[in-house]
Amino acid sequence: MKKYIQLYNKIKNMIIRGELKNGDKIPSVRKAAEIYNVSITTVQNAYFDLCADGFIIAQNKSGYFVSEIRNSLPSKSIEIERSNIEFDLTGGTADADSFDFTLWQRYIKSALRQSERLLSYSEPKGEYDLRCAVAEYIKEKRNVITSPDRIIIGAGVGALLQILCSLLDKRSCVSFPDKSFTQGIGIFSDYGYEVHTRDKDADIIYVSPSHMTRWGDVMPIKRRLELIEYSQKNNSLVIEDDYENEFLYNVRPTPSIFALGRGNIVYMGSFSAMLLPGIRISFMVLTKELAEKYDSCAKRFAQTASKTEQIALCNYIRDGHIKSQIRKIRRLYTVKTKTFADLLKKNMPDAKIEIGENTLQIILTADFEKELTAFENEGIKVFVEKFENGKIVMVLSPSAIAYTNLEEAVKRLKKAIF
Amino acid sequence: MKKYIQLYNKIKNMIIRGELKNGDKIPSVRKAAEIYNVSITTVQNAYFDLCADGFIIAQNKSGYFVSEIRNSLPSKSIEIERSNIEFDLTGGTADADSFDFTLWQRYIKSALRQSERLLSYSEPKGEYDLRCAVAEYIKEKRNVITSPDRIIIGAGVGALLQILCSLLDKRSCVSFPDKSFTQGIGIFSDYGYEVHTRDKDADIIYVSPSHMTRWGDVMPIKRRLELIEYSQKNNSLVIEDDYENEFLYNVRPTPSIFALGRGNIVYMGSFSAMLLPGIRISFMVLTKELAEKYDSCAKRFAQTASKTEQIALCNYIRDGHIKSQIRKIRRLYTVKTKTFADLLKKNMPDAKIEIGENTLQIILTADFEKELTAFENEGIKVFVEKFENGKIVMVLSPSAIAYTNLEEAVKRLKKAIF
């Protein structure tokens, strides 16, 4: 067994047996390396997995602590009739201020004027000029250097994974960061793959480095380099879903795995989160071999993204709006998360409030003796991660709540919990 | 072996052996029933398959003739650099006059004003109000009676087939009308199905009753009823892709298989052909059981169609524009096909010109001693079905050519061929 897994198990068992209690500080990486006589990398890897699995939590500048969230139950969102939701804290909705609708309308209108283009079907790979613009964008932003011929546009990451599965020579096993990647897991299962979680020895390793878990952990660069080395040795394929990378703020810069590695990496990204959830345009960069395979059977695929929106997005990127849009939402969301966390701390001193590593998720732990309908009654939609023995753990995202409503949302949450 | 297959083989072999020659008239259905001492239905089935496989061709009011197209090679479209194509005769592009862009722009603009709605992801099944509008539409138009809960919206039939495959209990074998259904065949192969053509005994039978083959054959109602009966007996699933049904003109009304049958039929349709190829919105009506299965795992699916376009289309349908749009294109395309066929006959008296049964395809057979680049050189894109022994067979669709250019297109075609 690998050293870091041994260390992982050791600490995990101490937590499970109660030798380390909720909120206990655990040794720093350097100190643990001394105590357990292992390398710093080993400790980092063990701590990373402990964080990802919810046993410990990293708190900025003050070290690692045993988390309340261990052994978490399958997560559950309290679903309310759409019309009753006043405060959606699950992060599925965007802030109305995050997007300049008038500007986008102008691009859509201009795309609709290109009637000649709209009379024909889109190229299976997506509009060529959009693929050029995406290639430029990811080169500048993520150092992902590729020809537009290797880029495939699609209506969402799911649609792209379907194409990818169809191109792959049948392999037996795929690994996902955790069980919350329901869509991707569903697609690979359909294609007959065995699905593991966090299995470095899988044939295909799906990672989402800026959002490794529901807690918002970010994959450290060392870990990225190891993953590349390991996958090259094993000849496994890495799928890098760069989901939410654009939102990272106050976090050390994290180069893409695609840029760090060489070959055998498929890079994916989406514009839905950057622009509007209602706009379904994602992209994937295939390896050279997979791109050639695609070209040899392109007739089997049809483009799923709207042609009008592809044309509009292309010009929107070319005119530089995507960059200012990202700066805007990054600022908006991280400042808002911070404000919301401060409000929660102030109003609920008895609850434990933690901000996830990617600065977008807030983890709230509190005593809770009521029924889960209490949230419903207050018009709040939340993700409940764990609810047992009079304790509740929730992952909150205030992205959908307008600034002026943050205080009211906190009040309602307080009323629901206490 | 079934009687109609015996008859099919008998006539096929007579054609292959040369006992029946190109252009020979074959006995009418009634006469053949007498000659071969079989039922009229048996002859109809055999003739239908002979038509579909390109051995014979039905000519309105004058009976059945041996076709030139027998033993057709895999079809091939002469691909030219996009910029060099002046006349696209493959039917992949729509007529600029077929669609009211100004009207559609108005609906898109109004959809973009619903910014609140665009801030969240679409329901996996698609926008509820669009599903209601589609339910109303197919009830009125095709007698397909279903609740909106059984309707799934998606960006193209391919995206919907992916979902369907994922919902189906694994079955072993699927049947398609012919090999030209590359996308559907690709998806089912990916899911591990054996793909047959025209196999009534397959577990899943995919039919496209208004466009059974590349020649544009329409499935007669008797055949539809038989298919229903047979599939019920065998407990097989029928997928009815109602592709191009809206375009049928001068053709006896053909009720949908969904409306004729009961249960075990999945009905599919697309708005791309009715509106604009650039608009990717299709729908499928699941069986009750499959719809329940979908609901139990809806988290695995994401909507692929653009939310803006879904909202726009919903209001476009509600305001009655889809009906007038269909009337418009039906008139436009059938009259244009007829005009083009007449021009071809007039200008190329030595060629054989036939209009397909669904009144949209023209089949041109001619002597041809040149290279296929001849079409390229004239800026023409065509589907070549067969090219050997100095003969060429092409399927032509003039849909993309403006009325004022029809004559020039014929001239170029003539120049390329002779």
Side-chain angles (χ1 to χ4, degrees), chain B residues 98-348:
Chain B
S98 68
F99 191 65
D100 186 341
F101 279 93
T102 318
L103 181 69
W104 180 247
Q105 270 165 33
R106 220 193 302 149
Y107 281 92
I108 288 285
K109 251 157 84 178
S110 139
L112 282 170
R113 276 196 297 271
Q114 301 197 31
S115 45
E116 272 301 318
R117 252 178 101 171
L118 297 173
L119 289 171
S120 60
Y121 287 97
S122 184
E123 264 187 78
K125 280 186 186 174
E127 294 301 287
Y128 182 70
D129 52 0
L130 173 60
R131 288 186 282 124
C132 291
V134 168
E136 266 306 305
Y137 168 73
I138 54 179
K139 183 178 132 199
E140 203 185 314
K141 189 82 190 358
R142 302 294 288 146
N143 201 23
V144 171
I145 296 165
T146 176
S147 117
D149 293 332
R150 280 169 58 188
I151 296 180
I152 315 283
I153 304 290
V157 164
L160 293 170
L161 284 180
Q162 296 272 16
I163 294 172
L164 184 60
C165 279
S166 172
L167 293 175
L168 289 172
D169 292 325
K170 191 73 189 179
R171 303 178 182 208
S172 64
C173 169
V174 63
S175 164
F176 279 84
D178 66 24
K179 298 278 183 204
S180 69
F181 291 75
T182 41
Q183 221 199 112
I185 289 172
I187 292 166
F188 276 95
S189 312
D190 281 348
Y191 277 85
Y193 284 80
E194 217 177 282
V195 177
H196 296 188
T197 47
R198 335 193 107 251
D199 175 2
K200 280 212 296 188
D201 293 314
D203 303 316
I204 299 173
I205 301 168
Y206 188 103
V207 287
S208 176
S210 306
H211 188 127
M212 283 298 284
T213 61
R214 296 182 48 71
W215 322 108
D217 296 303
V218 179
M219 189 189 263
I221 181 156
K222 270 204 180 150
R223 185 75 177 207
R224 294 181 193 218
L225 289 168
E226 274 170 30
L227 176 61
I228 290 164
E229 205 191 312
Y230 204 83
S231 67
Q232 278 173 351
K233 225 186 290 168
N234 278 15
N235 198 24
S236 50
L237 180 79
V238 174
I239 303 173
E240 179 182 21
D241 180 356
D242 216 8
Y243 177 65
E244 280 190 354
N245 161 69
E246 294 77 13
F247 295 149
L248 297 188
Y249 195 72
N250 274 337
V251 171
R252 60 192 174 289
T254 48
S256 65
I257 295 175
F258 188 97
L260 290 170
R262 251 170 261 155
N264 254 2
I265 297 160
V266 169
Y267 180 84
M268 304 186 116
S270 169
F271 291 100
S272 302
M274 287 185 235
L275 305 173
L276 265 189
I279 298 172
R280 300 294 286 157
I281 303 185
S282 300
F283 60 92
M284 91 181 143
V285 181
L286 292 175
T287 64
K288 205 165 153 278
E289 294 68 35
L290 288 170
E292 278 163 11
K293 205 159 165 203
Y294 182 100
D295 289 333
S296 72
C297 61
K299 267 192 184 169
R300 291 182 42 183
F301 305 112
Q303 179 50 236
T304 43
S306 150
K307 199 167 182 177
T308 311
E309 288 177 1
Q310 286 185 69
I311 297 171
L313 178 59
C314 171
N315 293 320
Y316 185 91
I317 296 174
R318 276 186 184 163
D319 292 348
H321 295 303
I322 197 91
K323 280 178 223 158
S324 45
Q325 168 67 12
I326 286 166
R327 274 197 302 271
K328 184 177 167 182
I329 48 172
R330 192 159 51 194
R331 216 166 30 228
L332 183 76
Y333 286 139
T334 47
V335 173
K336 195 194 268 187
T337 308
K338 180 78 176 54
T339 311
F340 193 63
D342 289 345
L343 281 170
L344 287 170
K345 282 177 189 164
K346 201 179 105 189
N347 285 278
M348 298 191 228

